[in-house]
Amino acid sequence: MKRTIAILAFALTVFSVSAQSTWWVFFADKAGSTFDPYSYFDAKAIERYRQCGADLYDITNYPVNADYEQGVATLATEEIGASRWMNALGIVATAEQIVAIERLPYVLRVQPIEADGMQYASADMEEEPLDGLFDVAYVDGPLTAQLVRMGGKDFHDKGIDGKGVRIAVFDGGFPQVNTHSAFKHLRDNHQILKTWNFPKKKEDVYGWNSHGTMTLSCIAGREGDRNLGLATGAEFLLARTEVNSEPFKEEVWWQMAVEWADKNGANIISSSLGYGKERHYTKDMDGTSYVAKAGNLAARKGILVCNSAGNEADDRQWKTIITPSDADSVLCIGGIENSLTEYNHIEFSSYGPSADGRLKPNVCAFGYARTANVGKGDNRYHYVHGTSFSCPLVAGFAACAWQASPGKTAMQMFDLIQRSADLYPYADYSFGYGVPQAAFFTGTKQPVAPTFRFEVDGENRIIHVKPNAIVMDKPIFFKEQSDNGHIYRYGKQQIDFIDTTGYISFGIQPNSVLVVHLDGYTDSISMDKGSRSSTSALGSGSFGEVHGHSHASNPSFRNPQSDNKPSLWGSNAKYRWDIYGQMGLNIATGNNEVDNNFFSPDYGFGVRFLLAFSKTYCLGVGIGFNIGYYRYNGREVNDIENSLNLPATQVEDDAVDTRRVKSSEFTVEFFQRVRLLPMGIFGHGLHWDLGIYGTHAGLSYRLSSEAPSAIAASHIDTRFEKPDVLSKHEWQFGVATRLTYDFIGIYARYRLNGIGSDPAAGKVFLPRLVVGLQLMF
């Protein structure tokens, strides 16, 4: 019993440690705080404030009251950092500490950060060589294909390289940026002005995750004489904000980094980061998260915030965008495939809209990119993929666009970048307004003549789209939406060939608007008023059907209401399940157990079902089947037989015959699960389980020698059909715990009652403790 208590005490200790959580503590006021913007802000920040009409003396710029901060920090386990804009302090604290903090008179409220979950993986960090994927998009000249797709030659030919624009880049690290040849021009011209490592609280950012090196490549990198990014003349602020082992703190660091960028004069923030399924629910993607609010406030202060849409499109538990890209004033950037001739959404780039129905993404760019490669040597490059890389490509584009449009505010640039995109004014939830084009800002954009016309078949409620000239190898984009812009369905079709006698038909519902984009031209038409069907005729054969002298691929279209609906089952969903297999050893732990000459393996498999109460806490039930073998030599036979209440076999004490007890167990367990870290291949992350179990065990006792005739017939196990096997059944109960990262972990079970034992009589126990490895899927 003492050992049992010790094990339970240890488990409770682990639980108490894991119960330390990350919190925002909001203060009631900023009483006593003083602020001088001219000593606090960089001169470029002051210029930006004046240009956009923001108030330098806005209360959000005042520091947090130092006494308030110190008072909370004294009670907390750890202080992460303060936010001026939110008038709050990020801390790590236990529930007991939070109770004391809430009683402080200057504390307005306390908000748990991790109650919603964990870190969103900082976009796709693919480092596998992808050269074959880029064959279709390779171009000669001073720009890589990723820049040519945005019409970057127009900027390059006019000498526009982002000069005078300051860009803050947030990421998980920037190894070799201080040595790699891709950034030599930035170092030589002193274009990296400031750096800050928020997790380490120091200036050094030139290490850790190479993701930042790759995203910076897409803004301003060079490979020999070729540009990887458009903004090679911009200035830079580099901030490290992400650490996979500290997931609860990253939103605090992101918030602090935005304020740091504001202070140091950033015009643009490039953030290929975000927070989604491990921390939030899809309903939260409505611009109300703290980082989304920070993004909106940064825009009010004159900063253009660019953020990746996310890599969740092929994840059935999410599919939609992540935060802070859901913020109204944050430019959300999606990804497309690396083709200069076709227009395809890249399979992993998240879809819009926001949870409250706003258009997202806003624009898109290549989700494949050529970047600097971190490793041995400082002159290595490779191709990578992820929505992470579309964001910095557009951030570099934005710097050049701003240089070409001096005097504009951040929100004016936001609107102009959307207007410059090659699908504008058409937009949908895959591409936004399309890929931004430099010609819009250089004055070289060519006017577009109408490429099609509408004809209406009112009797059948069908609209025909008829080309004005022969169309070859062009995509046509279409959507059915409400009068206020809410999209019911949308899609794309590749036209191989269609002449002026052919047409494409679209059957739409009353009160709907059909919007079509073909070869740079967009037009729309409304169907007559009437009652709209609840089914909206989605997927009808007349939507995108090609007629006449023509050839086209089958149309692909999406229904946001159904296609974006996340699954209720999964590692980050409300309902979760595990299938597991395990193998361990029974271990003798006390004097009343046989502790010599044992080799006692344990095998098991089963399934568990869990109900999530938050992103980090679940309750579960599991059923499983285990087989345990207890082997011992003949010197211990009599004691074992007595403890199992089996008839004596009259084997001599000094015999060396091997005996075996086999335990076949059907197990039911009830447990709680606390997730400590996110991610992994299967998305389970690092989690700890603690629970209780009950087992109905069938015990088979096998002799190696011929059984004596004295054995009662009732003990013969007919399953084995051998007279030397005895059997009995009994219930067992115990505690179980597991520590698992993603799909592999360690487990332990401790049986609270002995197998057929009588402690008062001093009978021998079989081992109670099982420890082993587990695979979980």
Side-chain angles (χ1 to χ4, degrees):
M1 179 59 71
K2 289 181 180 180
R3 297 182 182 277
T4 302
I5 294 174
I7 291 173
L8 291 175
F10 173 75
L12 291 174
T13 300
V14 174
F15 180 80
S16 67
V17 171
S18 68
Q20 292 185 358
S21 304
T22 312
W23 308 78
W24 277 119
V25 179
F26 294 89
F27 299 117
D29 53 56
K30 291 187 174 181
S33 296
T34 59
F35 176 64
D36 176 15
Y38 297 97
S39 60
Y40 174 76
F41 283 119
D42 182 274
K44 196 169 183 67
I46 295 173
E47 175 189 351
R48 190 193 68 237
Y49 266 73
R50 289 173 174 165
Q51 186 175 19
C52 71
D55 183 5
L56 285 168
Y57 289 94
D58 188 272
I59 190 61
T60 58
N61 291 334
Y62 279 66
V64 172
N65 183 294
D67 292 335
Y68 296 175
E69 183 176 347
Q70 181 60 37
V72 171
T74 301
L75 296 175
T77 301
E78 178 187 350
E79 176 183 353
I80 304 171
S83 167
R84 294 181 176 222
W85 292 4
M86 293 199 301
N87 194 24
L89 182 68
I91 62 169
V92 177
T94 64
E96 293 77 11
Q97 290 170 331
I98 289 300
V99 170
I101 289 170
E102 286 179 316
R103 292 173 180 160
L104 296 174
Y106 44 80
V107 170
L108 179 65
R109 71 180 187 278
V110 176
Q111 176 70 44
I113 297 175
E114 81 280 20
D116 291 324
M118 305 218 181
Q119 170 208 11
Y120 166 74
S122 52
D124 197 337
M125 301 184 187
E126 176 63 60
E127 297 187 17
E128 178 182 349
L130 301 171
D131 299 84
L133 298 172
F134 254 75
D135 290 344
V136 295
Y138 183 82
V139 293
D140 291 320
L143 304 179
T144 49
Q146 59 215 41
L147 308 183
V148 171
R149 184 61 182 84
M150 297 186 289
K153 189 174 184 299
D154 288 282
F155 284 147
H156 184 269
D157 289 349
K158 291 184 177 295
I160 297 173
D161 60 3
K163 186 176 182 179
V165 178
R166 192 169 294 178
I167 305 173
V169 185
F170 301 170
D171 221 297
F174 302 88
Q176 293 182 225
V177 167
N178 57 337
T179 59
H180 201 287
S181 60
F183 312 106
K184 183 178 183 298
H185 59 292
L186 300 184
R187 298 191 301 271
D188 290 347
N189 298 319
H190 307 289
Q191 292 170 242
I192 300 176
L193 304 183
K194 285 184 179 293
T195 61
W196 192 251
N197 187 328
F198 285 89
K200 297 294 185 180
K201 299 181 180 179
K202 62 181 183 179
E203 292 185 349
D204 181 21
V205 297
Y206 300 121
W208 300 277
N209 199 309
S210 63
H211 192 253
T213 304
M214 293 186 280
T215 58
L216 183 60
S217 299
C218 294
I219 303 176
R222 302 193 71 183
E223 183 180 6
D225 295 331
R226 306 187 78 202
N227 288 356
L228 304 175
L230 288 170
T232 55
E235 298 174 331
F236 290 93
L237 308 169
L238 305 182
R240 179 177 181 244
T241 62
E242 306 296 300
V243 179
N244 286 337
S245 62
E246 298 285 0
F248 302 137
K249 302 176 183 178
E250 289 173 341
E251 284 196 44
V252 179
W253 291 326
W254 199 93
Q255 170 75 42
M256 295 170 67
V258 173
E259 298 177 25
W260 175 80
D262 173 49
K263 173 185 177 181
N264 289 292
N267 302 107
I268 297 172
I269 290 173
S270 178
S271 169
S272 292
L273 308 166
Y275 310 95
K277 64 183 180 181
E278 284 82 23
R279 190 188 298 267
H280 299 284
Y281 298 95
T282 54
K283 64 180 177 61
D284 301 327
M285 300 297 102
D286 58 357
T288 59
S289 72
Y290 288 122
V291 289
K293 291 176 180 177
N296 282 338
L297 186 51
R300 281 173 42 197
K301 295 174 183 287
I303 303 174
L304 177 64
V305 182
C306 302
N307 208 95
S308 293
N311 293 328
E312 317 298 80
D314 53 1
D315 188 332
R316 62 187 182 87
Q317 299 174 53
W318 194 261
K319 300 182 181 179
T320 191
I321 58 171
I322 55 175
T323 193
S325 65
D326 61 328
D328 178 73
S329 300
V330 170
L331 193 69
C332 174
I333 302 155
I336 61 171
E337 291 184 354
N338 60 309
S339 174
L340 298 177
T341 58
E342 296 186 3
Y343 213 128
N344 296 315
H345 175 270
I346 203 165
E347 60 182 358
F348 47 75
S349 185
S350 294
Y351 293 103
S354 64
D356 54 342
R358 288 176 289 106
L359 176 70
K360 294 287 178 177
N362 301 100
V363 294
C364 59
F366 272 11
Y368 293 102
R370 180 78 171 170
T371 73
N373 186 7
V374 173
K376 295 180 179 179
D378 293 319
N379 193 33
R380 301 171 69 240
Y381 297 83
H382 62 170
Y383 290 111
V384 291
H385 70 271
T387 313
S388 288
F389 307 113
S390 62
C391 173
L393 287 172
V394 171
F397 177 96
C400 295
W402 216 333
Q403 181 187 355
S405 310
K408 300 295 185 184
T409 67
M411 291 312 297
Q412 287 172 333
M413 291 306 303
F414 185 110
D415 180 61
L416 289 173
I417 290 169
Q418 289 187 139
R419 288 176 176 271
S420 78
D422 55 8
L423 298 182
Y424 186 88
Y426 176 90
D428 61 32
Y429 300 146
S430 293
F431 306 105
Y433 288 103
V435 180
Q437 296 298 305
F440 180 90
F441 295 97
T442 60
T444 54
K445 181 179 180 180
Q446 299 299 313
V448 177
T451 57
F452 63 89
R453 64 191 184 278
F454 292 119
E455 290 187 4
V456 179
D457 179 353
E459 182 178 350
N460 296 311
R461 295 189 180 278
I462 295 176
I463 297 173
H464 302 306
V465 175
K466 293 194 169 185
N468 293 332
I470 294 175
V471 177
M472 298 180 64
D473 297 324
K474 298 288 184 181
I476 183 171
F477 300 84
F478 43 82
K479 62 179 175 178
E480 182 183 0
Q481 66 181 37
S482 65
D483 290 336
N484 62 6
H486 176 74
I487 300 176
Y488 300 122
R489 54 177 168 171
Y490 65 94
K492 182 184 76 71
Q493 189 172 17
Q494 187 69 22
I495 304 295
D496 298 326
F497 172 85
I498 186 169
D499 64 15
T500 54
T501 65
Y503 60 91
I504 307 170
S505 60
F506 297 90
I508 67 172
Q509 290 284 316
N511 300 316
S512 290
V513 178
L514 175 67
V515 185
V516 176
H517 178 94
L518 175 62
D519 199 14
Y521 176 71
T522 300
D523 200 1
S524 62
I525 187 171
S526 300
M527 183 58 75
D528 58 331
K529 303 297 182 181
S531 298
R532 181 175 178 82
S533 167
S534 60
T535 63
S536 302
L538 293 179
S540 66
S542 61
F543 200 77
E545 191 172 289
V546 179
H547 303 269
H549 191 196
S550 61
H551 185 270
S553 64
N554 291 326
S556 61
F557 51 87
R558 290 181 61 82
N559 172 11
Q561 287 74 26
S562 59
D563 293 342
N564 280 19
K565 188 175 182 180
S567 172
L568 293 176
W569 287 89
S571 59
N572 291 286
K574 183 176 182 179
Y575 304 106
R576 309 173 187 183
W577 59 278
D578 306 333
I579 296 176
Y580 69 89
Q582 61 190 28
M583 180 176 69
L585 291 176
N586 292 277
I587 300 174
T589 59
N591 293 331
N592 284 334
E593 299 180 13
V594 177
D595 54 4
N596 294 311
N597 303 311
F598 256 84
F599 177 72
S600 306
D602 178 87
Y603 308 97
F605 62 90
V607 62
R608 305 185 187 102
F609 300 93
L610 300 96
L611 173 63
F613 291 88
S614 75
K615 291 290 185 176
T616 57
Y617 185 78
C618 302
L619 291 179
V621 59
I623 55 175
F625 182 75
N626 281 69
I627 296 178
Y629 293 97
Y630 307 90
R631 299 179 185 274
Y632 52 93
N633 65 39
R635 285 186 290 271
E636 297 153 335
V637 166
N638 291 336
D639 288 336
I640 296 294
E641 289 167 347
N642 290 335
S643 69
L644 294 174
N645 293 322
L646 296 173
T649 61
Q650 299 179 358
V651 177
E652 297 295 331
D653 286 345
D654 59 353
V656 294
D657 301 296
T658 300
R659 304 292 187 261
R660 182 184 73 185
V661 174
K662 175 184 176 183
S663 178
S664 301
E665 306 168 358
F666 177 78
T667 302
V668 177
E669 68 168 329
F670 299 92
F671 63 97
Q672 62 179 355
R673 173 170 295 176
V674 178
R675 187 164 60 174
L676 307 174
L677 288 174
M679 301 313 294
I681 297 174
F682 296 97
H684 300 298
L686 176 66
H687 60 262
W688 173 59
D689 295 349
L690 178 65
I692 59 174
Y693 71 89
T695 292
H696 183 261
L699 303 174
S700 301
Y701 176 75
R702 182 188 289 270
L703 306 178
S704 64
S705 59
E706 190 173 320
S709 58
I711 296 179
S714 62
H715 289 292
I716 296 177
D717 190 334
T718 57
R719 293 172 301 171
F720 290 90
E721 297 180 353
K722 291 184 179 181
D724 61 345
V725 177
L726 313 180
S727 67
K728 63 181 297 184
H729 298 270
E730 67 179 39
W731 288 96
Q732 302 168 13
F733 304 93
V735 294
T737 187
R738 293 174 290 274
L739 184 65
T740 306
Y741 181 72
D742 200 35
F743 65 92
I744 189 168
I746 57 174
Y747 76 95
R749 292 185 302 152
Y750 188 81
R751 192 172 59 251
L752 296 177
N753 60 324
I755 297 180
S757 61
D758 184 0
K763 295 179 179 178
V764 177
F765 295 94
L766 295 181
R768 295 176 181 239
L769 178 65
V770 180
V771 177
L773 295 176
Q774 178 183 92
L775 295 178
M776 186 178 77
F777 305 96

